[in-house]
Amino acid sequence: MRRLIIDTDTASDDAVAIMMAVAADQVRVEALTIVAGNVTVAQGSLNARHTLQLCQAEVPVYEGCDRPLLREPSTAEWFHGQDGMSDQNYPAPQLGAQNQHAVDALLERFREAPGEIDLVTLGPLTNIATALAIEPELAHWVRHCYVMGGAAATLGNVTPAAEYNFWCDPEAACRVMHSGMNLTLIGWELSCGDATLDDQEIQNILSFGNERARLAIDSNRKALQAVRNLQGQAGLALADPVAMVVALYPEIATKASRHFVDIETSSELTRGMSVVDVNHVLGKTPNATVCFAIDTARWKQELLRALR
């Protein structure tokens, strides 16, 4: 049984990723830590706790950093809706948040079980970078960190150069990238193209007729409009669930290799760009495994399994 902690700025696609994790037989989700990103920490906490309650999952939720390390907050209501869940007006959860700060919870839990717990990050890396600043040994306590962030030598989704999570807090992404942590990067582009859900696949999920399936589709209705109108995708792209499926089933990554990766923090034009040295021209030691392709059929199979 693998042990898992999820760091998330919970909006609509994060919610689907959380449902996949708590439904997986081979992992035990031990905690959720909330970071500012798609929505505020308070809203992300509500969304996470609503999702857990719907799944009847008893997982503690810790609220963390409410702004990037050095930048002003840049939320993504334009993509996910004002509440991050397509403004579906979900009721407030009865499940409350823990009093301990997320950064303290991360340090405590990984310190107590070094090398035993995996970390999946679905939002900006502010919580993780802050924890590393307090205790650099965290990098070695984390067994493996799966990062939904960046774009592997391809286009961004919030600027031409950058993916949202890294753009939102590039200094945090840079600190984590150079921390020595065992990292696997799953870029947003892996959720595009054949990995998107078309109208028939969306209706198939809704036909399951359960609350998990309805939450997965209804909370992502604004995201579906955004990916079609702004990004030109044919169907619903779910970046965080794709990252989660790679974390749960690493063999789904059909093309992955080790590279040196750096994050742009100085230029406003390319702020947050993940610079992947694909051709090893810099001669620097690789610091991350980068996923370049996934088995899209298997990804969809595991999504349906989790929501059925």
Side-chain angles (χ1 to χ4, degrees):
M1 178 69 69
R2 289 171 57 200
R3 303 168 65 184
L4 197 69
I5 291 176
I6 302 170
D7 189 73
T8 166
D9 57 340
T10 312
S12 54
D13 60 334
D14 304 70
V16 180
I18 291 167
M19 288 192 288
M20 295 186 72
V22 298
D25 294 330
Q26 77 278 21
V27 302
R28 180 173 69 248
V29 180
E30 301 201 347
L32 264 58
T33 53
I34 310 299
V35 66
N38 288 323
V39 290
T40 64
V41 166
Q43 186 64 56
S45 176
L46 285 171
N47 296 341
R49 289 182 280 125
H50 173 77
T51 303
L52 291 171
Q53 184 171 295
L54 182 143
C55 295
Q56 299 181 328
E58 296 183 2
V59 178
V61 175
Y62 301 88
E63 298 174 354
C65 298
D66 62 1
R67 60 188 299 113
L69 296 180
L70 302 178
R71 314 275 177 156
E72 289 299 313
S74 299
T75 50
E77 288 90 348
W78 56 272
F79 191 91
H80 294 284
Q82 291 301 308
D83 65 355
M85 303 287 275
S86 293
D87 302 320
Q88 294 293 307
N89 298 311
Y90 294 120
Q94 294 180 340
L95 175 69
Q98 303 295 307
N99 291 328
Q100 188 178 28
H101 193 280
V103 170
D104 295 328
L106 286 164
L107 289 171
E108 180 178 294
R109 286 173 175 269
F110 282 105
R111 181 185 289 114
E112 290 176 350
E116 297 180 14
I117 306 173
D118 289 337
L119 176 63
V120 179
T121 68
L122 304 177
L125 292 170
T126 318
N127 282 342
I128 315 307
T130 302
L132 284 165
I134 296 169
E135 179 49 85
E137 277 301 301
L138 175 66
H140 307 293
W141 296 339
V142 174
R143 192 179 83 96
H144 198 115
C145 181
Y146 296 88
V147 177
M148 192 283 111
T154 185
L155 304 177
N157 65 351
V158 68
T159 73
E163 175 274 331
Y164 171 79
N165 287 341
F166 284 5
W167 175 88
C168 186
D169 196 344
E171 285 78 18
C174 188
R175 182 178 295 173
V176 173
M177 202 63 54
H178 296 293
S179 68
M181 194 175 290
N182 187 12
L183 300 170
T184 293
L185 305 185
I186 305 107
W188 83 279
E189 76 281 1
L190 297 176
S191 67
C192 299
D194 291 343
T196 63
L197 304 180
D198 62 28
D199 290 338
Q200 182 175 347
E201 290 167 328
I202 289 171
Q203 289 305 313
N204 181 37
I205 291 173
L206 286 173
S207 74
F208 296 169
N210 63 55
E211 289 184 314
R212 295 187 310 281
R214 285 192 291 270
L215 177 70
I217 300 305
D218 290 345
S219 70
N220 278 286
R221 292 196 181 278
K222 287 192 179 294
L224 176 59
Q225 295 174 3
V227 296
R228 282 178 166 165
N229 297 336
L230 301 177
Q231 298 175 359
Q233 297 296 322
L236 177 59
L238 294 170
D240 289 341
V242 165
M244 183 60 73
V245 84
V246 172
L248 296 175
Y249 311 98
E251 69 275 12
I252 285 179
T254 57
K255 182 180 180 184
S257 47
R258 299 280 298 170
H259 299 281
F260 176 77
V261 182
D262 212 342
I263 309 299
E264 176 58 57
T265 59
S266 300
S267 167
E268 282 305 304
L269 180 64
T270 56
R271 162 186 166 180
M273 181 178 183
S274 51
V275 182
V276 181
D277 187 7
V278 175
N279 293 323
H280 304 285
V281 295
L282 297 177
K284 295 186 176 182
T285 302
N287 56 358
T289 298
V290 180
C291 292
F292 291 95
I294 62 167
D295 181 341
T296 56
R298 174 79 187 280
W299 131 244
K300 292 180 179 182
Q301 174 187 335
E302 297 301 340
L303 174 67
L304 297 182
R305 188 198 308 273
L307 297 178
R308 195 177 298 275

